Amino acid sequence: MKEKVLTEHFGLENLYKIDVYQKQGGYRATEKALKKMKPEEILEEVKKANLRGRGGAGFPAGVKWSFVPDTDKPKYLCVNADEGEPGTFKDRYIMSHNPHMLIEGIIITSFCVGISVAFIYIRGEYEAIALRLEQAISEAYEKGFLGKNILESGFDLDVFVHRGAGAYICGEETALLESLEGKRGNPRLKPPFPASVGLFQCPTVINNVETISNISHIILNGAEWFIKQGLPKDGGTRIFGVSGMVKNPGIYELPLGTSLKDIIFKHAGGMKEGKKLKAVIPGGMSAPILTADEINIKMDFDSLVEANSMLGSAGIIVIDDKTSILDVLKVVTKFYSHESCGQCTPCRIGNSWINKIVKRIAEGKGKKEDIDSILRLASNIEGNTLCPLGDAAAMPILSITKKFRKELESHL
Amino acid sequence: MQEKTNEMIKIFIDKEPVDAEEGTTVLKAAERAGIHIPHLCYHPAFPPEGSCRMCLVEIEGFPKLELACSTVVKEEMKISTKSERVVEARKAVLEFLLAEHPLDCPICDKAGDCKLQDYYDEYGLFESQFKEAKEKREKKLKIGKSLILDQERCILCTRCVRFLKEVTKTQDLGVFHRGVHSSVNIYEGASVENNYSGNLAEICPVGAITDEDFRFKTRSWFLKEGESICPLCSRGCNILIEYHPGFSRFELPKRVYRIKARENPEVNGFWICDRGRYGYSYLDERRADQIIMNKKEGENELTCENISRHLGEKIKNLSSARKTSGIALILHTWLSNEELFLLHEIFKNDLKVEKIFFADLPDGEADGFLLTSEPSPNRRGAQEIGFDIKTVDLGALADGTDFLLAFGPFLSGLFSSKDLRGALDKIKTKVLFSSNSNELNSLFDVVIPVALIAEKEGSLTNVEGIVQGFQPVLEPPGESLPEWKVLSDLGKELGMDSKFYSEFTSPEAILSEMGKKIPFFKKKND
């Protein structure tokens, strides 16, 4: 069992150039898919691989593709490269080190679903990466991997890079579509789901960068191999982004199911000198916090759900004992209050209200009833909002407040 | 026309079986069964928005609460609209909304018919736990010719934004900024200037958009409302007239304070135009309320009671001297179907009067939506009854005319006073029926005050041929009375067949007789 799939060649000089990429076997998957496979076979393979969405929700990619109806309308692929979840920095590595791996995934996915226009919606701050992607795309056009009649298969595909304008909410798939259409990035009411009514009212597949980047490997090596890289219900590896008070912060590609303790203490080198572990946010800031006692846990979708948290974007934020949990809560509540689109009532006002309370506590003006108020308000947001941002805010707020109630009360 | 109806399915709302149309939403199905599910952003004219989160309901088999406004019903669906979980969620939404609401109800125009107030009364009545500073926003932003936006009261339901996007397509308003700083605002350089702007104040569920025409003039709880038809063009939009019944201790300057749209999918949908909304001053201003006699008419004092006998005698004298050619009529198309029918029967059919003219306001321009070019409500009715709509020609009018019976105040708008006086001076006897006083009052021998559409009963035929009935909302002022009453009495005095006219004790009776004589007015389901 080899450990690295996506990051295998990272560090190789000029990997982002198509010639170097091809020397490592790049675009062989594309050739195989377009010349030797039928779209149905690709779909079957991806379904069998149990490739779950790497954006955060963990929805099986193959199942998502199969929801696209058979219509005469154009269909679109949108690659979600908005990577806005605090603590998450894996997609930027993929796109800057190995953009062609993503492009290959886009080609195969589009061929499979019957898509001839694909968009990469990239976080606005990733300007240099967007330029690198543009460059890689034009190389792919030159070599005939994009454009008309790709590899003489009769399949056409155009890929466009679209830069976002800095809103976290545009990482939510329907807000992303609105933004891509040139509108204010507000999430849409679901149903209808994007697979049937998406970009410009047409069927649309939306997948995360890391998800799509896995496709070429599944095609080349098969679903069985892919499952072996991870878990039966959760195929492949995961790129864990470790940040915070560890010796070696960075990205670590590891099999799904690797223990959180090992990631922190083995792979990331343990805590920085003189620091003790206090808590971990295991899957991007929206994931409920784990205390130092709770890190003996396998990092896969189902194990984390069992532990009342979530794998999310696999961005691991390590918090040490010198960090005040009130400061953590302040950062969390400020972020969601700032990033709420403002469309629906509980998220718009609830997050701002909670943030106002936390700021007041930090100013030394906390009241006895404040902790209960935070819990009550966050519960009233959870499950009652138009899009997942409400839950994404309520989950960390509730878990931090419940698990560190004593420490928070010491500030009152 | 056979209306296509969807299949009905059975659902359960609060444990009660309810029949629901397939494909409809939970909210609509509940509404149809008489169950109100609170909502703020949902408006039946637009697709569901799902942002206020007030209409959340519990549906068996769904882990989360679901939106009633957008969830489509399914066979055997079990919906709870009043469960503890639902009520708690509603309370929570109200608590959030009120946390950032200025709570300035005592000075808010919307107080009394504000949905936020109503829902708080129903579900809330809790003490505010909000101890933080509220966001400061613009309180008095002029966004259109008579609209004021208070961003602090706004709950961001975006009904106004969607109205301007989907109905007028002018897109003058948008949501600016993000999160708790989100606010509705006018785009730079824009102003809500279209002919439907007044609908914004009406669809705003709270006091965020108020109308300068109504603002601070009265309180909504003093007002009563009645259903009527807008007479200001031939669309026949269905309206509500809101009037003040008055105080016993002091007099008010007017009765009518506001006109609102009344839903009618066949005529005006949910909307009315600004012409119809704001052009209501004629209901109270310069009203003719007493009979005016400029020329002594024999020994008897004329009253509204004896006017038809008096007119009957005059006309009988002319007709027995075979002088009906000396009779001329000026009509207008604010008269109801019933009144125009009586006029047609008496003067055209019985007396064979030929000089029948019409005096209406001059045609305007249609706006491509509701407002038509015809500035009166019943031209189509007059045509269907058999009138040829000829505008007054002063020369032809005066030529050989001894007796003129004129209706309406509109003649003065069509000619200069000099020309009018010149023509009318040639006519010996002139009687005017008018609702509003103007310079015509001095040009006629007798002026009889009459009721307006809002003050009487009858029906009108709109531009598309839809016959719509109306009932009195207001009392006719002073001595004024509806024309149909005078005309049916006059018919009895004069009619070749007085039995025919004696049946006409109500506009309803007249309309039913019309249906027998004119197929157009036959009731569709008869």
Side-chain angles (χ1 to χ4, degrees), chain A residues 40-254:
Chain A
E40 308 84 73
E41 290 169 348
I42 299 174
L43 181 63
E44 210 39 53
E45 206 62 31
V46 174
K47 272 187 179 172
K48 268 201 292 188
N50 285 335
L51 168 64
R52 296 177 69 166
R54 273 29 175 174
F59 196 82
V63 178
K64 205 181 213 179
W65 300 357
S66 64
F67 289 155
V68 174
D70 194 15
T71 72
D72 294 338
K73 281 187 174 181
K75 298 167 194 164
Y76 298 104
L77 170 65
C78 294
V79 176
N80 189 344
D82 198 47
E83 193 157 65
E85 185 65 32
T88 314
F89 42 88
K90 61 191 178 63
D91 295 338
R92 61 182 299 170
Y93 276 94
I94 296 173
M95 291 185 289
S96 54
H97 283 264
N98 200 350
H100 286 288
M101 182 169 65
L102 174 63
I103 295 169
E104 249 198 301
I106 291 171
I107 297 168
I108 299 165
T109 305
S110 302
F111 177 69
C112 173
V113 185
I115 288 163
S116 55
V117 178
F119 295 90
I120 302 171
Y121 185 96
I122 187 166
R123 183 184 167 123
E125 291 89 335
Y126 289 176
E127 189 184 0
I129 304 172
L131 289 171
R132 177 158 289 184
L133 278 175
E134 297 267 19
Q135 203 183 1
I137 288 166
S138 59
E139 284 178 344
Y141 270 102
E142 274 169 35
K143 294 262 177 165
F145 292 116
L146 290 176
K148 298 268 174 237
N149 194 18
I150 298 167
L151 303 177
E152 276 153 23
S153 61
F155 168 62
D156 304 336
L157 178 65
D158 288 307
V159 179
F160 300 94
V161 175
H162 184 99
R163 286 177 60 202
Y168 172 70
I169 192 62
C170 291
E172 192 281 329
E173 58 178 11
T174 57
L176 183 151
L177 295 178
E178 290 284 298
S179 172
L180 196 50
E181 287 180 7
K183 300 173 193 153
R184 180 188 166 93
N186 274 2
R188 294 177 185 170
L189 200 57
K190 291 193 269 194
F193 291 91
S196 48
V197 184
L199 188 64
F200 305 116
Q201 304 294 305
C202 294
T204 304
V205 170
I206 306 166
N207 279 131
N208 172 259
V209 169
E210 189 185 344
T211 314
I212 294 288
S213 298
N214 273 301
I215 300 297
S216 61
H217 300 283
I218 294 172
I219 294 305
L220 269 188
N221 305 308
E224 251 171 67
W225 166 87
F226 189 73
I227 283 172
K228 277 188 201 142
Q229 308 307 308
L231 297 168
K233 282 189 174 172
D234 211 343
T237 61
R238 203 66 215 261
I239 302 180
F240 296 99
V242 186
S243 60
M245 293 300 174
V246 288
K247 278 199 187 113
N248 306 312
I251 59 160
Y252 297 92
E253 187 183 5
L254 297 163

Side-chain angles (χ1 to χ4, degrees), chain B residues 291 293 300-308 310 448 479:
Chain B
I291 199 159
M293 284 198 292
N300 293 338
E301 191 72 14
L302 278 184
T303 65
C304 285
E305 275 78 49
N306 66 21
I307 190 68
S308 39
H310 173 78
I448 300 142
E479 297 180 319

Side-chain angles (χ1 to χ4, degrees), chain A residues 184 340 356 360 376 384-385, chain B residues 53 95 100 132 177 179:
Chain A
R184 180 188 166 93
S340 164
K356 283 174 179 176
R360 183 162 48 70
R376 187 174 62 86
N384 290 340
T385 55
Chain B
R53 317 306 285 181
E95 187 183 21
E100 287 291 346
E132 325 306 321
H177 307 296

Side-chain angles (χ1 to χ4, degrees), chain A residues 166-167 184 189 337-346 348-350 352-353 356-357 360 367 376-377 380-381 383-386 391, chain B residues 48-53 56 64-65 67 70 92-93 95-97 99-100 129-130 132-133 135 155-156 175-180 182:
Chain A
R184 180 188 166 93
L189 200 57
S337 166
H338 182 68
E339 294 296 346
S340 164
C341 80
Q343 197 179 186
C344 75
T345 311
R348 175 179 74 242
I349 296 167
S352 149
W353 185 347
K356 283 174 179 176
I357 295 175
R360 183 162 48 70
K367 297 188 176 88
R376 187 174 62 86
L377 296 171
N380 285 342
I381 297 172
N384 290 340
T385 55
L386 193 147
D391 292 348
Chain B
E49 180 77 357
S51 65
C52 74
R53 317 306 285 181
L56 289 170
K64 287 185 177 184
L65 298 178
L67 292 172
S70 68
V93 171
E95 187 183 21
F96 286 138
L97 286 173
E100 287 291 346
Q129 302 296 315
F130 188 76
E132 325 306 321
E135 300 297 317
I155 54 158
L156 285 160
V175 177
F176 291 63
H177 307 296
R178 202 166 72 183
V180 79
S182 301

Side-chain angles (χ1 to χ4, degrees), chain B residues 130-141:
Chain B
F130 188 76
K131 307 284 189 291
E132 325 306 321
K134 295 189 192 225
E135 300 297 317
K136 290 269 169 270
R137 297 169 218 265
E138 204 63 59
K139 289 286 289 176
K140 201 183 170 192
L141 202 60

Side-chain angles (χ1 to χ4, degrees), chain B residues 65-102:
Chain B
L65 298 178
E66 295 293 321
L67 292 172
C69 71
S70 68
T71 306
V72 174
V73 293
K74 295 248 160 59
E75 184 78 51
E76 297 288 312
M77 197 179 242
K78 293 182 181 63
I79 302 149
S80 303
T81 73
K82 295 179 179 76
S83 70
E84 203 191 320
R85 210 174 141 208
V86 170
V87 171
E88 283 310 308
R90 276 177 201 162
K91 264 191 185 173
V93 171
L94 283 172
E95 187 183 21
F96 286 138
L97 286 173
L98 292 166
E100 287 291 346
H101 192 80

